[in-house]
Each structure stands twice: as structure tokens, then as C-alpha cells.
Amino acid sequence: MRHLVVVGAGIVGLSCAWAAQGRGFRVTVVDRDFEGDRASHGNAGGIAVSECVPLSLSGLGLKPLRWLLDPLGPLAIRPGHAPRLLPWYLALRKVGDPANYARIGDALASLNSLCLADFEAMLGDLGLWADLHKRGALTVYETDAAYADERASWQFKRERGVRWRPVDLSELRELEPGLAPVFKHAVMLEDWAHIDDPKRIVDVLRQKVQERGATFIRGDATGVEAGSVGGAGGPGGPRGSAGLGSAGDSASAGAVAVRTGDGRLVTGDKVLIAAGAWSARLARTVGDHALVESERGYNTTLPGSAGRLNREVIFAERMFVATPLAIGLRIGGAAEFAGLDAAPNFKRSEALLKLARRYLPDLEDAGAKQWMGNRPTTPDSLPVIGVSPMNPDVLYAFGHGHLGLTQSATTASLIGQLLTNARPSIDLKAFSVSRF
């Protein structure tokens, strides 16, 4: 049986492990902390298949500067991290070129068009189909000017198959009576969905992958090395050996190996890097250059306020969202660039909650839980999905930004197709690591 080593036990890595098992692979998953908190646990819970507009600075004028001048605004860059962010920022500037912008939007739309059906199929396999709620999402606007500013974006989405419709104020009050009556415009995203609890999906998926025979190895992956077929502990070795070599050994079993921080080797026929914001470090050890930044997001979950909304609501001007999860109303947003190791600034979570109180009066905040996570974000808003051009035995699935949950099952399907030499469902050229 062929053996896949997956680095990363978030929603993307586990989904890919699940898909590989379904295609006959033996799987080993390597992660530093399988039960620990991660971006997969604290996202807003939306299946955001409508999101095909790439992040771009074009047309924003002085808005980004104003955001940066606000210590708790929707965008922050910690001064010490700014020099390291420069290559990513320079690549982001190119996204606004009209040809690039349209090409990226087409690629995102092609990927997202598969996501809801693939995600439903995965939930069905996990016995979690009832956790998905297909009620759409509402984007709400306080001013005529803000609504007018986004007309081009709405048209961009419609041209790529996104279903949306304007919602008049009487219908808005009927759909979401808990919202303060301060909005002048609203748009319903017809195909958006949300789930009860992102962490529950990850936990059940991890359990299912393990029940199907996966080996889990706790360790900090530090690099990928070429191996050689044969030798003790390889794919043909004893069950449960997971292809582990002795500390200090060179890769000796299987075509490729993952080295951990304590010197162990985990060998297999294929390695998949799905380590989120940490993936670029591992790609460098293969010889590939990937531009991925940690776009740190913050939220607060209010257990006593889950019933305040019926669906996810996106507050356009203030750039935050609120989602009614089974575990509470989750209020999230913000984009902070500070690197992977800086301590969280939970004043950002407090600022988001303060904003939410303006639009959702009388929120119950007893037992409120704050959270920060490292979203793995590329400058062109496209994930990295595909085979390494430097080593055909290494595959990548990372950089999904705000859409890791949304794109997880479809990414897994594409990785499964690549593992079995099947033709991918979509053209993966736009998602190749070589674009950087």
C-alpha cells in the first residue's frame, strides 16, 4: 500500500488525509500538537463559496493608511515585522492589474464552484451533515456611498457565477430582526452556508482519519528530504512503524521523508505539506519559494447570544462578520501582520465586540471567549495546490487565507486526484507554487 505523509493537522491537512485514505493510501500525519488551537478552530464558520474577489489595494486610495493609523482598525502591521513583509506587499501591488485581477477571480471562482458540494459530501461521510446550514449570508451597508463603492465588485462576482440579490429594508428586518435599524442597503449571497462549530468538524475529522488506520506522530516538522526506496521502516515495513528512521539517520525508507525537530525521520512514497502559515518554511527545504504570510485574525464568541442572528452577517464598512454558531455568536475580523511568533493583542477582539454592540444591541457577553489565529495568506488570494516542481514526490495544500474551511474538501479532492494520477477537476496552473 502506498504511503502518504501529511504535515499539518488542520482542516486542510486532515481533509487531504481523509481523501488519500479513500483512494487507498496509508497515511501518517505529523503535527506539533493535534488537539491544540489553530486557525481551523476559530474561523467564522462560513462556507464562503461566493468569495472570488481577490485582495487588492487598487481603488482604495488612502483607506489603508487610515486603517494603519487606527491602533485597533481593521488592518495593522507591527513595525518590527514590516521589513519582512515587503516581498509579500510588492507582490500584492501587482494584483490590481486588470488582467491579473480577472485571472485570479476566474481561478477562485473555478475552485469555489466545487466547494459546497464537496464539503457536503465530506460532512456526510463524517456523519455531520446536520451541522451545515444553507441560509445564505447578508452583507449590510450603513451608507449609500459604501454600497455604491462596491457595485463593481458585485458585478465582478455575478460575471463569475455568484448568485446574489439586493434585499430591501423591510425584508432585512424580517430576515434579521436582531440587527439595529441603521442599514440602508443589504445583499443576500444565495449560496453561502455556515456550520455549527469549526472545531467540531476538525475534531471529528481527526478521529475518523485515525479510526481508518492513520498513524499520528507528534513532532515539529523542520524539513523535507529526499529518501531512497527500500530499507527498514518504509511503506513495505511493519504496520505502525510509520516509516520512522533513527534520530540522525538520513532518509532511508521511501521516496521522501519529513524530518522533525528532534531528528526523527518520517518516510513515505509522497509527502503533503499542509501546515498553514508555517508551510513556506518547509517549502524552502524542498527548494520552492512561496509567499505566505500569517494574516492574524481575531474574534470573540458569545455563548449566550447565538440566537441573535439566523445566518452570517458581513458588516461592509466596518469589515467584520458575525456568525450564529451552535457554541455562540462569533464576532470576528481584522487583519494583523505581525509574524508567527508575536503575542496576541486581544484588544483587537475587544474592539470588534465594541463595534458589534452598535449593530446588535444588548448582546449577552457572559462567558465570552477571545481567540487569535494565523491565517495562511498569499498575496494573490490563491492557495497553493499541486505538485512541487522541484520534487514530484512532494505536494502542497496551503495558503487558503480566509477560505481554508470553505476550500478544504475540494482541495482534498484535488490532492487525491494528483496522488492517483487522475486528471484534476480544474486547471491547477494558477495555484502552482512556481507562480512566486
Side-chain angles (χ1 to χ4, degrees):
M1 182 181 289
R2 303 195 76 201
H3 181 200
L4 173 68
V5 180
V6 177
V7 181
I11 185 68
V12 173
L14 290 173
S15 297
C16 291
W18 164 81
Q21 288 176 319
R23 289 176 177 262
F25 275 75
R26 180 163 68 90
V27 171
T28 296
V29 185
V30 180
D31 196 279
R32 67 168 64 86
D33 183 3
F34 288 97
E35 291 78 30
D37 201 8
R38 58 190 73 240
S40 302
H41 293 174
N43 63 68
I47 309 303
V49 298
S50 310
E51 293 305 281
C52 61
V53 177
L55 174 67
S56 171
L57 298 177
S58 180
L60 291 179
L62 295 175
K63 277 186 182 179
L65 179 59
R66 288 198 293 270
W67 294 335
L68 289 171
L69 291 174
D70 179 354
L72 296 176
L75 173 65
I77 301 173
R78 294 201 189 180
H81 186 65
R84 297 180 61 184
L85 187 63
L86 184 60
W88 190 95
Y89 169 74
L90 293 175
L92 173 63
R93 290 186 61 187
K94 299 177 182 178
V95 172
D97 174 79
N100 269 345
Y101 196 76
R103 176 186 58 79
I104 293 166
D106 291 343
L108 277 172
S110 71
L111 181 63
N112 290 347
S113 68
L114 305 174
C115 286
L116 186 55
D118 286 342
F119 194 78
E120 283 188 274
M122 185 171 75
L123 289 186
D125 186 68
L126 299 175
L128 296 176
W129 187 85
D131 284 29
L132 182 72
H133 307 286
K134 296 194 286 187
R135 301 174 191 159
L138 283 165
T139 300
V140 293
Y141 296 87
E142 297 171 73
T143 65
D144 295 328
Y147 183 56
D149 283 348
E150 294 203 353
R151 282 177 183 160
S153 290
W154 287 114
Q155 182 59 27
F156 185 90
K157 289 181 179 180
R158 177 159 281 162
E159 289 169 356
R160 285 156 182 82
V162 173
R163 298 195 310 139
W164 60 267
R165 62 179 178 84
V167 171
D168 64 34
L169 297 185
S170 62
E171 185 185 4
L172 177 62
R173 285 190 290 272
E174 186 178 316
L175 290 169
E176 297 296 348
L179 288 175
V182 299
F183 300 103
K184 292 189 173 183
H185 300 277
V187 175
M188 173 66 80
L189 289 153
E190 304 275 16
D191 297 320
W192 200 291
H194 72 273
I195 59 172
D196 280 340
D197 178 7
K199 184 178 184 298
R200 172 172 153 85
I201 304 293
V202 176
D203 289 345
V204 173
L205 183 56
R206 183 176 65 248
Q207 179 183 354
K208 178 72 75 171
V209 167
Q210 197 161 23
E211 287 174 355
R212 289 182 174 180
T215 301
F216 283 17
I217 294 176
R218 190 179 299 272
D220 214 346
T222 58
V224 179
E225 303 177 9
S228 58
V229 177
R239 176 79 174 147
S241 68
L244 281 173
S246 303
D249 286 350
S250 61
S252 60
V256 67
V258 173
R259 186 173 290 279
T260 63
D262 58 3
R264 291 180 295 169
L265 286 168
V266 187
T267 61
D269 298 293
K270 301 284 184 181
V271 164
L272 173 70
I273 304 301
W278 288 264
S279 297
R281 295 178 178 178
L282 291 169
R284 280 199 296 272
T285 69
V286 182
D288 289 315
H289 174 63
L291 285 174
V292 179
E293 275 291 330
S294 165
E295 183 199 339
R296 294 147 58 103
Y298 290 82
N299 69 44
T300 300
T301 304
L302 307 177
S305 296
R308 294 300 306 275
L309 294 174
N310 298 310
R311 59 188 51 76
E312 188 165 353
V313 175
I314 302 148
F315 298 87
E317 285 101 327
R318 304 299 180 176
M319 301 179 70
F320 77 97
V321 305
T323 313
L325 306 181
I327 55 173
L329 185 68
R330 179 160 289 172
I331 297 157
E336 180 188 48
F337 293 92
L340 289 166
D341 303 317
N345 175 11
F346 284 118
K347 289 183 179 179
R348 296 198 162 277
S349 295
E350 295 165 11
L352 287 167
L353 181 56
K354 184 178 179 180
L355 266 179
R357 291 187 185 283
R358 297 169 59 175
Y359 308 113
L360 293 159
D362 304 317
L363 286 174
E364 173 56 60
D365 60 3
K369 183 179 180 181
Q370 297 178 330
W371 176 90
M372 185 280 291
N374 294 288
R375 304 186 194 105
T377 302
T378 63
D380 61 4
S381 300
L382 295 173
V384 179
I385 305 171
V387 178
S388 164
M390 303 300 292
N391 186 336
D393 296 315
V394 177
L395 296 89
Y396 296 127
F398 62 84
H400 295 77
H402 293 246
L403 299 178
L405 179 68
T406 300
Q407 297 170 346
S408 57
T410 297
T411 298
S413 177
L414 293 165
I415 292 297
Q417 291 161 5
L418 292 172
L419 285 171
T420 53
N421 298 316
R423 183 174 181 176
S425 302
I426 60 172
D427 185 352
L428 291 178
K429 182 179 179 181
F431 305 97
S432 171
V433 72
S434 63
R435 71 186 191 266
F436 299 114

